[in-house]
Amino acid sequence: MPKRRRTVDDECAELLQRAANSLGIRSNRNLRIYLGSLTQRLKELDYALEELNSCLRATTESTGEGLSRQEKRDFYSSCLWAFAYSLFDILAHVVNVVHPIVSDESKVSFLGAVNGYNFVPAKAKTSGSLPRGLTARLHKIANRQYFKRLRTYRQCCLHRRAVCVEETVTTTTRSLPYADTTSGEDPRVKTVLCDDPNDMKPRFTKVRDLERESETIRNTVREDVADALRLV
C-alpha cells in the first residue's frame, strides 16, 4: 500500500509539537494563531473552488436578482486566486514566528522571505536567518511556473480587473431516431483563461482550461505549503 502523503493539517500539528519546547509562551500563541489561519484559509480556498466549478458547469442563468452566472464565475475565480496566494503570505508569518527575522509584522511576506527581506529597513529586522533547506524550498516554490501564473492572476484581479476568460458554448445533437427527451440536446460550456492577464488585448492560444487550472493550483498549493511546513 502506498504511503499516504502528509497533509497541511498533519504538518501543522507536527510543527506545534516541535515548537512547544523551543518557543516562548507568546510565540507559541502566535504560531497557533497563524497555523489556524492557514488551515481556515485552505477551507475557504476549497469553498471558492467548489462554487467556481458550480458556475462553470451551469448552462443556464439562475432566476432572481443578484450576480449573473458570469459575474459569479469571475467573483469566485478572483477569490480563488487571492486565497491561494495569501496562503504563502500566511506561511511566511508562520516561518517568521519560528525563525524571527522581521520585527515589524506588516513587512512580512512570502516573496520578502524568498529574497531574504533584503528590501526591509534594518531597524525592522533582527539578526536571525532561515535554515538553508527552508530557504531552498521557498526559492523552489517561487520559481515554479504555476506560482508565477498565480501571482499574475492575483495581481490582476485584486489591483486591476478580472482575469479575462473566454467561454464557448456548444450543443451536441443526435439523429432523430437516437434522440430522446434527455439526450436530444447537450449544451456544454468550455471556459479558458487568457494567455497573459497583463495583456489588454487578451489572446487564448494556450487554451488553458479554467477549471483544470484552478484545481491544479489548489492541489499544488496544498502540497507546497505542507512540504515547506515540514522544514520550518
Side-chain angles (χ1 to χ4, degrees):
M1 180 180 295
K3 186 177 181 181
R4 181 181 71 87
R5 185 182 181 92
R6 293 179 63 82
T7 67
V8 172
D9 286 342
D10 293 333
E11 298 300 342
C12 286
E14 286 287 337
L15 179 54
L16 281 173
Q17 289 185 354
R18 292 198 304 271
N21 297 323
S22 59
L23 298 179
I25 294 176
R26 181 179 179 182
S27 293
N28 267 297
R29 181 201 64 195
N30 292 346
L31 178 61
R32 190 175 298 275
I33 289 172
Y34 279 122
L35 291 177
S37 179
L38 197 66
T39 55
Q40 180 62 32
R41 184 53 48 85
L42 282 171
K43 293 178 182 178
E44 294 166 350
L45 177 61
D46 288 345
Y47 178 75
L49 178 59
E50 179 182 335
E51 292 298 313
L52 174 59
N53 286 343
S54 178
C55 293
L56 294 178
R57 294 166 187 170
T59 56
T60 58
E61 287 287 348
S62 59
T63 58
E65 298 180 355
L67 298 179
S68 67
R69 185 186 66 81
Q70 288 86 356
E71 288 171 328
K72 289 179 181 177
R73 175 205 64 206
D74 291 345
F75 173 76
Y76 284 113
S77 60
S78 294
C79 288
L80 190 139
W81 311 138
F83 290 161
Y85 188 90
S86 71
L87 278 159
F88 293 107
D89 280 335
I90 298 172
L91 172 64
H93 282 283
V94 171
V95 170
N96 197 62
V97 171
V98 181
H99 306 285
I101 297 178
V102 181
S103 54
D104 184 348
E105 185 187 57
S106 67
K107 300 186 182 303
V108 174
S109 68
F110 177 73
L111 289 181
V114 169
N115 295 316
Y117 292 107
N118 291 331
F119 301 103
V120 174
K123 64 180 180 181
K125 296 173 64 175
T126 71
S127 59
S129 62
L130 298 183
R132 183 174 301 177
L134 177 57
T135 299
R137 174 64 64 177
L138 299 183
H139 274 279
K140 182 177 180 179
I141 293 172
N143 287 322
R144 297 190 68 176
Q145 289 304 311
Y146 93 89
F147 179 83
K148 293 178 180 179
R149 296 197 305 273
L150 172 60
R151 184 184 177 191
T152 305
Y153 297 150
R154 181 256 186 188
Q155 178 72 12
C156 183
C157 76
L158 287 187
H159 304 296
R160 299 171 188 166
R161 57 195 177 274
V163 176
C164 188
V165 300
E166 182 176 80
E167 284 190 346
T168 303
V169 181
T170 59
T171 301
T172 302
T173 60
R174 298 177 183 173
S175 298
L176 289 178
Y178 303 94
D180 56 34
T181 56
T182 60
S183 62
E185 295 185 356
D186 184 20
R188 297 187 180 184
V189 179
K190 182 176 180 61
T191 309
V192 296
L193 283 152
C194 61
D195 296 348
D196 183 0
N198 294 322
D199 195 343
M200 293 295 287
K201 294 182 178 181
R203 295 178 297 173
F204 300 88
T205 59
K206 296 178 181 178
V207 195
R208 184 170 286 125
D209 182 79
L210 175 57
E211 182 174 351
R212 189 177 304 113
E213 173 79 338
S214 300
E215 291 180 349
T216 295
I217 285 178
R218 188 276 303 271
N219 295 337
T220 314
V221 164
R222 280 182 170 273
E223 294 172 0
D224 277 347
V225 169
D227 289 343
L229 286 171
R230 193 173 304 120
L231 299 172
V232 175

